[in-house]
């Protein structure tokens, strides 16, 4: 992505293992689901790794994009914060280009069938499959005082989010790959036990599937203090990048030549700057022709250029929060109808029909 192209275009997106999805245009009935948990404000990792992929997909597929608040409950939060976070996710989905006339934007807790299907899927999921998921181990490490059953069940609920819409593919960042693999395994286990029913969803992994945070080592993540948020003010972004943005650790003095290959700021240049700017920064860095702050100034300009139209749109949406809520309510109602149809079938094929 360069400063002039605020979304990842088709040419940059590489689609993994989904021949039925790549290059197919105007196909109806091919449904895609993806979600973002409102566990904090959305950041440029969520944008580059997920939302920027969603925007072109809504032109070709029947897309359902969720704000998956039940997932966010696996972390501690203040009750009054949840609505604010849901608003932030909804506003950012829309500000980044999701069109409610093309895609369905829904709230997970508004469709109770997600949790119902998750329970049924958990009964065909062997415990060792869940215990080996790397994200569970990572989360347990990050929140040792709150290793709850929800964390363990997270991938099963995610499988339900996807399968309840019989989705054929799921656009996600790299960290979600093990969850998608598990979703396919769970679909296979269900189909093996009750007969062929769920499609095995493919993953759509973009070219910017793992954006590293300001700390230069961890994936940018809401629960780590290493994010540029989509609604950070320009001055905040300038200060964060200037003060917290980790560069080549071996470049101590302005006169030391640097190595862009091990500099996270240079990794970000690859996401936001033109090829010419990248070449210029690499050259000046290697010969100590300029300092890290000069290099960062070019990056800051480009990040701000990408965020400017998004932030303008955020302001318009924030001025009409009733309108935003209506969009989510409509989308949730639409999603619920599909989910209820699926659950009716699931109840039939699993024998849960005694009262019907
Ligand atoms: N750093 C990232 N680079 C690329 N893609 C990313 N995604 C998240 N972080 C990055 C993708 O964004 C989508 C929504 O993710 P999520 O918010 O539901 O959950 P997450 O992956 O756990 O994101 P966070 O920020 O790390 O949240 P916390 O800290 O609450 O766990 C997914 O497609 C994800 O791949």
């Amino acid at each position: 992505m360069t400063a002039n192209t605020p979304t990842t275009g088709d040419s940059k997106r590489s689609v993994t293992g989904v021949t039925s999805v790549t290059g197919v245009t105007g196909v109806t009935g091919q449904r895609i689901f993806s979600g973002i948990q409102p566990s904090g404000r959305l950041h440029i990792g969520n944008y580059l790794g997920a939302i920027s992929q969603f925007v072109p997909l809504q032109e070709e597929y029947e897309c359902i994009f969720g704000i998956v608040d039940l997932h966010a409950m696996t972390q501690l939060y203040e009750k009054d914060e949840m609505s604010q976070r849901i608003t932030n996710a909804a506003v950012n989905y829309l500000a980044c280009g999701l069109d409610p006339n093309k895609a369905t934007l829904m709230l997970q807790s508004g469709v109770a069938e997600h949790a119902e299907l998750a329970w049924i899927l958990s009964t065909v999921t062997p415990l060792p499959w869940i215990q080996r998921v790397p994200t569970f181990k990572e989360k347990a490490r990050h929140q040792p005082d709150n290793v709850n059953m929800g964390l363990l069940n997270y991938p099963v609920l995610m499988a339900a989010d996807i399968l309840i819409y019989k989705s054929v593919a799921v656009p996600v960042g790299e960290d979600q790959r093990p969850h998608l693999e598990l979703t396919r395994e769970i679909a296979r286990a269900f189909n093996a036990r009750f007969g062929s029913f769920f499609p095995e969803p493919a993953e759509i992994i973009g070219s910017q599937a793992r954006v590293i945070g300001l700390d230069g080592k961890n994936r940018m993540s809401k629960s780590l203090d290493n994010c540029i948020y989509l609604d950070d003010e320009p001055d905040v972004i300038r200060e964060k990048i200037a003060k917290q943005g980790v560069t080549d650790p071996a470049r101590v003095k302005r006169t030391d030549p640097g190595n862009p290959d091990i500099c996270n700021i240079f990794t970000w240049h690859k996401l936001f700057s033109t090829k010419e700017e990248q070449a210029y920064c690499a050259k000046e860095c290697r010969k100590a022709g300029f300092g890290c702050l000069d290099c960062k100034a070019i990056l800051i300009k480009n990040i701000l250029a990408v965020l400017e139209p998004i932030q303008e749109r955020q302001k318009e949406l924030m001025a009409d929060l009733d309108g935003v809520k209506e969009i989510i309510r409509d989308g949730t109602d639409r999603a619920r109808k599909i989910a209820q149809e699926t659950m009716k079938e699931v109840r039939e094929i699993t024998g849960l029909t005694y009262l019907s």
Side-chain angles (χ1 to χ4, degrees):
M1 184 170 78
T2 70
N4 298 326
T5 47
T7 59
T8 48
D10 277 341
S11 59
K12 287 197 157 191
R13 203 176 62 239
S14 64
V15 180
T16 316
V18 270
T19 43
S20 63
V21 172
T22 35
V24 181
T25 52
V27 176
T28 53
Q30 292 246 48
R31 203 174 285 139
I32 281 178
F33 176 90
S34 196
I36 293 188
Q37 53 167 340
S39 48
R41 292 148 64 208
L42 301 201
H43 50 73
I44 58 174
N46 295 133
Y47 174 63
L48 295 174
I51 308 179
S52 65
Q53 292 202 78
F54 300 172
V55 175
L57 289 170
Q58 69 183 347
E59 304 297 334
E60 296 179 30
Y61 299 97
E62 185 189 342
C63 290
I64 301 176
F65 297 121
I67 299 169
V68 289
D69 49 350
L70 297 178
H71 285 282
M73 292 182 74
T74 57
Q75 300 176 34
L76 294 178
Y77 64 97
E78 293 299 325
K79 175 167 91 59
D80 296 339
E81 259 177 50
M82 190 54 96
S83 292
Q84 244 172 307
R85 290 171 172 193
I86 291 168
T87 301
N88 180 278
V91 163
N92 278 306
Y93 263 152
L94 295 165
C96 291
L98 290 191
D99 179 348
N101 295 313
K102 295 178 179 163
T104 296
L105 307 187
M106 56 83 62
L107 183 65
Q108 184 192 33
S109 62
V111 181
E113 287 75 11
H114 284 233
E116 185 184 357
L117 181 60
W119 175 261
I120 291 175
L121 295 179
S122 75
T123 67
V124 298
T125 307
L127 188 58
W129 289 6
I130 299 293
Q131 284 169 324
R132 69 167 193 240
V133 174
T135 43
F136 168 68
K137 293 181 195 146
E138 195 187 312
K139 288 277 176 200
R141 217 177 25 251
H142 280 145
Q143 48 183 76
D145 299 334
N146 184 24
V147 184
N148 56 75
M149 278 298 293
L151 280 184
L152 199 62
N153 281 329
Y154 191 109
V156 182
L157 179 57
M158 182 167 157
D161 299 336
I162 295 163
L163 297 178
I164 202 147
Y165 301 110
K166 298 183 184 167
S167 315
V168 295
V170 185
V172 282
E174 185 70 42
D175 61 303
Q176 297 293 334
R177 202 170 225 161
H179 290 165
L180 254 293
E181 183 54 43
L182 188 62
T183 297
R184 284 190 286 273
E185 286 176 318
I186 293 174
R188 236 172 277 147
F190 181 94
N191 292 346
R193 176 137 167 222
F194 295 108
S196 184
F197 182 69
F198 288 120
E200 288 180 33
E203 63 212 39
I204 302 175
I205 303 280
S207 54
Q208 289 136 35
R210 190 168 190 273
V211 178
I212 299 296
L214 283 161
D215 55 15
K217 52 177 198 274
N218 295 300
R219 181 174 65 83
M220 189 176 287
S221 181
K222 296 182 218 91
S223 47
L224 302 176
D225 184 22
N226 67 356
C227 301
I228 301 285
Y229 294 104
L230 292 173
D231 59 357
D232 271 344
E233 293 287 340
D235 278 348
V236 173
I237 295 175
R238 280 189 198 97
E239 194 173 320
K240 276 187 180 175
I241 295 178
K243 291 199 175 147
Q244 295 174 46
V246 170
T247 55
D248 169 5
R251 192 177 185 196
V252 182
K253 297 194 300 295
R254 159 72 180 78
T255 48
D256 292 339
N259 180 359
D261 298 336
I262 54 167
C263 173
N264 188 47
I265 290 297
F266 191 69
T267 310
W268 286 15
H269 270 298
K270 290 187 192 153
L271 304 176
F272 290 97
S273 303
T274 61
K275 289 270 178 244
E276 293 72 29
E277 285 169 324
Q278 290 173 39
Y280 171 75
C281 290
K283 186 169 82 142
E284 294 302 312
C285 173
R286 284 187 205 284
K287 64 174 188 185
F290 69 5
C292 291
L293 281 179
D294 303 308
C295 178
K296 287 177 170 182
I298 297 172
L299 175 69
I300 290 167
K301 166 182 76 75
N302 293 337
I303 292 184
L304 294 183
V306 168
L307 291 187
E308 193 185 328
I310 295 174
Q311 296 196 339
E312 270 173 28
R313 185 85 184 105
Q314 282 170 358
K315 287 187 186 112
E316 289 164 15
L317 290 157
M318 290 300 289
D320 179 21
L321 287 183
D322 287 345
V324 171
K325 192 178 262 189
E326 223 25 60
I327 289 171
I328 300 300
R329 199 186 300 283
D330 275 1
T332 305
D333 289 346
R334 252 183 285 154
R336 191 182 307 108
K337 287 203 181 84
I338 303 170
Q340 284 174 341
E341 276 169 32
T342 304
M343 277 316 298
K344 189 164 175 285
E345 292 174 288
V346 167
R347 283 170 165 271
E348 274 160 21
I349 59 182
T350 55
L352 299 175
T353 50
Y354 181 75
L355 290 178
S356 52

